Structure formats: C-alpha cells, structure tokens
Amino acid sequence: FFQNLLLDNLLKVDIYNRARKLHITNLEPRAIIVFDIDPGKSGGNEAETAAAQRLTGLFVSQGGSYLTQVEENSVILIKSLTSEDDYEALEQCAVTAVDMLETEAMVRASAAYGTIVTELKDLSKSYKEARMAMDVGRIFYAGRKILSYNELGIGRLIYQLPVNLCSMFLHEIFGEYDPSLIDQETLATIQTFFENNLNVSETSRKLFVHRNTLVYRMEKLQRETGLDIRTFDDAMTFRIAIMVSEYMKFLERKG
C-alpha cells in the first residue's frame, strides 16, 4: 500500500478505502525519511536488511510509523509525528537513526527528509522532497549525512534548472574555460575562504599558509577565470557557477 502511495499509483478514493481496511489513520502528522544504505564491498542486500531490522526496532515497534522500500539500497520510513513535533524533532530522529545504524548495525547510511504533511495522500509529496534532498545532497553537500528539503538553499534551485540554461550560464561566466580544471587544493582553499566570510587573514590562519601564498592562489584563479573572489559579487558568482558545474557533471554521470 505504501509503495503504491509514495509512487502515486493510487487514486484518491483508493487511498482512503485501503487505509480504512488496513486501519491506517488518514489525518495524522507524518513525514518521509529516506535512508540510503551503502551496500559495502559485498554488494548484496545484507546491509539493507540489517538497516531495515534496526529501523523497525527503533520506530515501527512503537506503533504508528511504517517502513517500506521502493528501490535498492534505500529504506523509507513513514514517520508518525505528534502535533507538537516540528522539523527540529524530525532532524533529531534522522540523526539518531543514522548514528544507530553506523554504531550498532555497522552500516554506513545517510538520511533525507521531506516536509511534514497531515494527510495520507500528501505523503508522496514528502517522499519526492526527501528523494530530491538526497540527490541535491550528493551533488552539492557531499559531507552531510542528514539532509532536509527545507534547508537545501540554492542547491535546490540549481537542481531544478533546465540543462540548456545551465550551459548558457557557465559559458557566460567562464567562456571557453573549463571549471573542472580547477584543482582540489584551490577548491578547498576557496571553500575555506568562503567559510571565513572572505577574510584573507583568517583563511590563511585556518589553512596554515602564508597570507601572500593565499593571495597568489586567488590572483592565479582570477587570471584563469576573470573572477576576483575577494569581492562579494565575484565570490557569489563563482560559488554559484561551481555549483552549476557540479550539477552538470552529475547529469553526465547519471545519463
């Protein structure tokens, strides 16, 4: 029932009729949390099975929540909530589950959740949001294990842009220059620079490099791209352009 519900394979009247027969409450706060499970070196479904068992014990045995699967290497939790629960509670739920999977089940996992809905028919919306959050996280926020649809920021906007518009934007910013040629050391330097609010002195201290070395790297980047990331406008343009470039690479790998 939940598989068909999440994939929009049911008519509205069928949702209510089947829910009634299965004794599933229609009006109740719920949200979808998707857990992506790393299958490990074995490549089998042992990790997925172990994760499902642990999540069942943690959530489903309490009543009101349900577990299902739609695709390989992922487990979907239909989390029942109270009227007092908010997104902070949902975040904590995801954090607790991932921590439990990694420490007790020895399974590497990440989680993404959609918005809270009150009707069964809207669970497919929460599922699509959670799935999008997981994809956006893979592209733009690789270091995060917990992702919220409501906190994807500009990544969500870029994810929904047409491919031709992304290509036009990159050509407008970089011309014939290929941003994928920027080495990882430079990208890490830029990321630290952004995290320190474009403060050169603070960034050099965090990276344990001389201030002149940092300035040299930025000037080299400016010569290659035409963007001086020491200025706010160019820094913002560069950050968005790199995110668009990452999205384009994701699409190439996907298709």
Side-chain angles (χ1 to χ4, degrees):
F1 168 69
F2 278 116
Q3 286 174 343
N4 285 319
L5 176 64
L6 298 182
L7 295 175
D8 283 327
N9 291 335
L10 296 172
L11 297 174
K12 191 174 179 179
V13 64
D14 291 331
I15 294 174
Y16 297 142
N17 288 337
R18 295 192 188 185
R20 191 181 303 113
K21 291 179 181 178
L22 294 169
H23 305 289
I24 299 172
T25 307
N26 176 42
L27 297 176
E28 181 181 311
R30 296 182 177 94
I32 298 295
I33 305 178
V34 173
F35 295 92
D36 270 10
I37 310 300
D38 185 345
K41 295 181 180 179
S42 64
N45 62 356
E46 291 87 355
E48 190 178 325
T49 301
Q53 290 174 344
R54 294 286 179 171
L55 291 171
T56 297
L58 185 62
F59 298 112
V60 179
S61 59
Q62 300 172 3
S65 296
Y66 302 89
L67 216 62
T68 188
Q69 292 170 279
V70 171
E71 53 191 22
E72 282 189 329
N73 301 323
S74 72
V75 180
I76 301 166
L77 174 67
I78 299 99
K79 183 69 177 72
S80 175
L81 303 166
T82 68
S83 56
E84 288 79 26
D85 285 334
D86 54 12
Y87 287 101
E88 185 176 341
L90 199 56
E91 173 84 9
Q92 189 55 51
C93 172
V95 169
T96 300
V98 168
D99 182 64
M100 180 268 297
L101 290 175
E102 296 193 338
T103 56
E104 297 183 19
M106 306 301 289
V107 170
R108 293 177 60 187
S110 54
Y113 55 90
T115 55
I116 298 172
V117 299
T118 55
E119 286 192 63
L120 275 175
K121 67 179 180 62
D122 294 324
L123 277 175
S124 62
K125 169 178 170 289
S126 186
Y127 169 67
K128 290 170 186 173
E129 292 168 345
R131 194 72 263 173
M132 178 189 288
M134 191 68 78
D135 286 343
V136 171
R138 285 200 189 103
I139 304 169
F140 306 119
Y141 314 113
R144 296 190 195 176
K145 289 186 177 181
I146 311 296
L147 295 142
S148 166
Y149 176 80
N150 286 336
E151 297 177 356
L152 295 177
I154 196 169
R156 186 172 75 192
L157 176 63
I158 293 172
Y159 182 82
Q160 297 178 91
L161 290 176
V163 176
N164 62 329
L165 192 60
C166 291
S167 298
M168 289 171 58
F169 175 73
L170 289 178
H171 187 267
E172 179 183 327
I173 300 303
F174 295 118
E176 298 303 319
Y177 180 78
D178 184 358
S180 65
L181 296 175
I182 302 174
D183 60 87
Q184 289 302 313
E185 182 184 48
T186 301
L187 288 175
T189 298
I190 295 166
Q191 180 61 33
T192 305
F193 183 57
F194 290 159
E195 290 172 355
N196 287 277
N197 300 313
L198 312 187
N199 187 309
V200 175
S201 298
E202 186 64 26
T203 303
S204 63
R205 186 159 52 251
K206 287 287 180 65
L207 293 173
F208 302 103
V209 298
H210 194 277
R211 191 179 191 278
N212 290 345
T213 302
L214 183 59
V215 170
Y216 170 78
R217 291 179 186 176
M218 293 178 179
E219 289 177 345
K220 180 175 180 288
L221 181 71
Q222 184 179 2
R223 289 194 299 271
E224 293 174 345
T225 65
L227 297 172
D228 182 2
I229 62 170
R230 289 169 293 184
T231 67
F232 175 78
D233 285 348
D234 279 5
M236 182 175 64
T237 299
F238 181 84
R239 182 174 178 82
I240 294 172
I242 289 299
M243 292 180 74
V244 171
S245 177
E246 289 296 320
Y247 175 56
M248 295 290 285
K249 285 190 284 187
F250 168 79
L251 292 179
E252 289 175 7
R253 293 193 300 267
K254 192 175 180 180

